[in-house]
Amino acid sequence: MGLHLIIGNKRYSSWSLRAWLMLRFNELPFQEERIALYSEDYKQRLLDAHELGQVPILVDEGVSIADSLSIAEYLAEQYPLPHGWPADRKDRAHARSLCAAMHSGFMALRQECPMNVGRAPAPLELSPACLNDVHRINQFLTRCLSRTGGPYLFGDLGLVDAYFAPVLIRLDRYALLAQVSPELRAYTARMLALPELQDWVEAGRREIERLERAER
Ligand SMILES: N[C@@H](CCC(=O)N[C@@H](CS)C(=O)NCC(=O)O)C(=O)O
C-alpha cells in the first residue's frame, strides 16, 4: 500500500506543502491525493481520513497521522531519513523549537500574507505586528545560517527546511526580501531553486481559476 499523503490546494495550502516536501526531500515514494478544500464534500472526506479533518494527512499502512508537525515526528521515528532532524542533539533540539514556534506562532504574518505561490511578487501594506514577525524570523533564521555556514538551516537539508519553505515563499511573494539579511536572502533563493519546490510552485500556478476562488 505504501505512503499516502492527502493535501489541499497547492496554491494556498502551506501546511500541505510542509508535509509534501518532507517526503520529497527524503525521496520516500508516496501517493498524493489532492482534495479541493471548501468543495462540497471536502470536510467529510477529510474527516473520513482523520478525525481532525484538516490537511495534511499522512496514511501509512493503516495508521493515519494529521498535522504537519506530527507527520515530521512520525517520519523521523518510522523511517531512516537522509534529510531528517539534525544529527547533533543540541541542533536537533533547536530545530524542533523553531518548527514548533512556526507551528504555533507568527499569526500576523500568516494572516496578512497567506501563502499564494501564484502571486506576482509585490509589496503589501503590513501591520507593525506582521513586520515584527518578519523581523523575528529574520533574526533567528539568520543566526542559524551564520552559525552553521549553510547551505541550509542546520547545514544539510532537513525537515526544518521543509517547515520554513512556506515562509520563504511569503518573503518572496510579498516583496519582503529587501528587509532580511543577505544570508537569509541567499538561503531563500537556494530553497526556491530546489526542483521539489519548483514542482510544487508550478503545480500551484496551474491550478484552475475555479479552485483559486473556492479554496484556501
Ligand atoms: N496545524 C495544522 C494546520 C492544518 C490546517 O490549517 N490545514 C488547512 C489548510 S492549510 C485546512 O485543512 N483547512 C480546511 C479546514 O480547516 O476545513 C498542521 O500543522 O498541519
Side-chain angles (χ1 to χ4, degrees), residues 30 32-33 50 70 129 145 154 160 163-164 180 204-205 211:
F30 64 102
E32 171 185 315
E33 180 183 359
H50 195 287
S70 301
L145 292 163
F154 287 83
V160 63
Y163 224 81
F164 279 89
V180 305
R205 281 204 180 111
L211 292 175

Side-chain angles (χ1 to χ4, degrees), residues 47-159:
L47 288 167
D48 289 345
H50 195 287
E51 64 178 354
L52 292 179
Q54 286 194 314
V55 289
I57 299 169
L58 179 70
V59 184
D60 185 18
E61 306 292 343
V63 178
S64 183
I65 309 107
D67 196 290
S68 57
L69 204 46
S70 301
I71 291 172
E73 292 299 357
Y74 177 85
L75 292 174
E77 179 187 284
Q78 204 64 21
Y79 293 92
L81 302 181
H83 299 288
W85 295 120
D88 177 79
R89 186 171 67 102
K90 203 169 157 189
D91 282 351
R92 197 160 58 247
H94 191 186
R96 283 186 160 121
S97 298
L98 297 190
C99 290
M102 187 65 240
H103 190 254
S104 61
F106 306 107
M107 299 310 290
L109 178 67
R110 280 159 55 183
Q111 275 159 17
E112 290 177 42
C113 303
M115 188 186 84
N116 175 354
V117 301
R119 185 178 205 270
L124 195 68
E125 198 166 329
L126 301 173
S127 70
C130 183
L131 291 171
N132 189 47
D133 281 353
V134 173
H135 173 69
R136 286 180 57 213
I137 290 170
N138 178 40
Q139 276 188 327
F140 67 71
L141 292 189
T142 301
R143 261 201 301 271
C144 252
L145 292 163
S146 306
R147 196 172 53 81
T148 61
Y152 299 102
L153 289 174
F154 287 83
D156 293 336
L157 188 69
L159 296 172

